[in-house]
Amino acid sequence: MLSVILAATWKPATLTDIRLTDYARDFISQGIKSGDTVIDATAGNGHDTLLLAEGVGQSGTVYAFDVQEQAIRTVRLRLDQAGQLQQLKLVHGGHQTMSQHIPRSIHGTITAIMFNLGYLPGADHQLTTQTDTTLRALDLACVLLAPGGKLSIIAYPGHQNGKLETQQVQRWASALTDSAFTVKRLDPASSNQPSPAWLGIIKL
């Protein structure tokens, strides 16, 4: 049976006290240190990329992927303004190409990988992550992670394509074997609209 640690492990007084992005960033921050190599699989506006860059320091490396040129420009500017550009390797391409851009010699040594699925805030909401490429990227992420490495996923069922993607990502996580991975889940309830889901995965 899959080893699953439910939301209660991570929940504050109420689920409204903290956003899922904060859960994800706290989960990842606790697992990275100066000199590490990490991945932002969906760079977007660069908030997670910056968090990772600050965590690994100038002796570390952050690979950041995005298919939209707007995102690439925004991420580069954000990290430049924060003085964190030195450790950044930006890839204008999909996260399903991760293994092609990361040297084979460091496969299996990545300490953290972050996915924030859906669309780029402030851009065309019709351009979203796709279920098939996301699942391929998640398979690659499991290979790239080091033992003890962490994978964080936030999925959004409230937009076109998002419901199927969220369902398939959750199904993918449920199929991971408990001898190789521990899975943490957080699915906050909402009566108004479909709520995002968070998955935190640790490679054993």
Side-chain angles (χ1 to χ4, degrees):
M1 182 178 178
L2 180 66
S3 175
V4 177
I5 303 175
L6 296 177
T9 304
W10 291 83
K11 186 169 62 176
T14 67
L15 287 176
T16 58
D17 290 345
I18 191 167
R19 299 181 303 170
L20 283 186
T21 51
D22 294 324
Y23 273 98
R25 291 166 186 168
D26 183 62
F27 173 74
I28 289 295
S29 294
Q30 293 178 28
I32 59 176
K33 63 185 185 303
S34 179
D36 281 354
T37 300
V38 297
I39 299 171
D40 187 349
T42 50
N45 284 321
H47 297 290
D48 290 340
T49 316
L50 179 57
L51 172 88
L52 292 169
E54 291 172 340
V56 303
Q58 294 193 351
S59 61
T61 303
V62 181
Y63 288 88
F65 294 80
D66 208 288
V67 297
Q68 296 192 59
E69 180 61 36
Q70 176 182 337
I72 296 298
R73 292 194 302 267
T74 300
V75 173
R76 183 179 288 111
L77 178 61
R78 184 178 300 280
L79 268 71
D80 188 23
Q81 291 176 337
Q84 302 289 339
L85 196 60
Q86 176 178 316
Q87 57 268 50
L88 179 65
K89 293 186 181 297
L90 265 176
V91 179
H92 186 195
H95 46 212
Q96 73 276 13
T97 68
M98 285 191 292
S99 62
Q100 300 172 30
H101 294 279
I102 295 171
R104 185 169 296 274
S105 61
I106 62 171
H107 287 194
T109 69
I110 308 301
T111 54
I113 304 176
M114 300 187 76
F115 285 78
N116 198 339
L117 303 173
Y119 51 77
L120 176 65
D124 185 351
H125 289 189
Q126 299 303 309
L127 298 175
T128 71
T129 52
Q130 300 294 311
T131 302
D132 58 343
T133 52
T134 293
L135 293 177
R136 293 206 303 270
L138 290 173
D139 284 338
L140 292 173
C142 288
V143 175
L144 291 168
L145 277 177
K150 294 182 174 183
L151 169 59
S152 173
I153 309 160
I154 300 179
Y156 300 87
H159 63 87
Q160 187 178 7
N161 298 325
K163 182 176 181 179
L164 175 62
E165 183 176 48
T166 300
Q167 291 172 342
Q168 291 300 312
V169 167
Q170 291 174 323
R171 182 176 299 175
W172 171 87
S174 295
L176 296 175
T177 60
D178 62 346
S179 61
F181 299 94
T182 295
V183 179
K184 303 176 185 290
R185 303 177 186 272
L186 184 62
D187 300 290
S190 173
S191 59
N192 299 321
Q193 60 184 3
S195 299
W198 175 76
L199 292 163
I201 296 166
I202 302 173
K203 186 172 183 178
L204 302 176

